[in-house]
């Protein structure tokens, strides 16, 4: 088994489809697709590709650390009590444990993610 994993930014497999929980939805009717591509044995580290259509949701990380690299689209993240930040294709960012804010997808977004819990 190789210890090197390439994340496919355009996976051909069927994604997991989801919508936000009612208590997380702020505006719109965003739809999510997730292509999970790898995880550690305990499921504490996960990687893959995630896509969302326009809409606005509450983002609450809890104990999760998440690295994101935007492949396409535009999002606006507003951490509670802070000014909004815009991320576009090519941008990368981290949401640390305890992050609480608003995730607004302006243009359908696709990102590579790595989560650690």
């Amino acid at each position: 088994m190789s210890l090197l994993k390439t994340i496919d930014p355009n996976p051909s497999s069927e994604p997991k489809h989801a919508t936000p929980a009612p208590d997380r939805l702020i505006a719109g009717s965003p739809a999510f697709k997730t292509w999970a591509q790898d995880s550690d044995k305990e499921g504490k580290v996960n990687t893959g590709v995630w896509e969302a259509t326009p809409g606005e949701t509450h983002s609450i990380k809890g104990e999760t650390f998440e690295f994101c690299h935007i492949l396409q689209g535009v999002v606006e993240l507003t951490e509670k009590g802070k000014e909004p930040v815009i991320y576009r294709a090519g941008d990368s960012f981290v949401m640390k444990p305890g992050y609480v804010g608003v995730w607004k997808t302006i243009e359908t977004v696709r990102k590579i993610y790595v989560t650690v819990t």
Side-chain angles (χ1 to χ4, degrees):
M1 172 173 69
S2 176
L3 297 178
L4 178 64
K5 175 66 178 176
T6 299
I7 302 300
D8 181 356
N10 297 299
S12 59
S13 61
E14 183 63 26
K16 176 183 170 190
H17 296 268
T19 56
D23 63 331
R24 296 281 180 107
L25 182 62
I26 298 170
S29 55
F32 308 140
K33 295 179 185 177
T34 303
W35 293 268
Q37 295 191 26
D38 200 27
S39 64
D40 71 334
K41 292 177 186 174
E42 291 100 28
K44 293 183 177 190
V45 179
N46 297 285
T47 62
V49 173
W50 182 83
E51 186 175 281
T53 59
E56 196 169 347
T57 58
H58 293 286
S59 180
I60 302 167
K61 287 289 120 190
E63 296 300 314
T64 301
F65 174 102
E66 182 173 2
F67 167 83
C68 302
H69 177 73
I70 304 295
L71 297 168
Q72 66 185 43
V74 180
V75 296
E76 177 184 274
L77 275 69
T78 307
E79 184 176 1
K80 188 175 182 179
K82 308 285 184 189
E83 293 296 314
V85 179
I86 301 283
Y87 294 103
R88 293 178 166 79
D91 293 337
S92 301
F93 59 93
V94 171
M95 290 181 287
K96 295 182 178 185
Y99 175 89
V100 174
V102 173
W103 177 290
K104 181 178 181 181
T105 301
I106 298 167
E107 295 175 8
T108 297
V109 68
R110 181 177 282 210
K111 69 177 184 177
I112 291 175
Y113 67 86
V114 178
T115 60
V116 181
T117 53

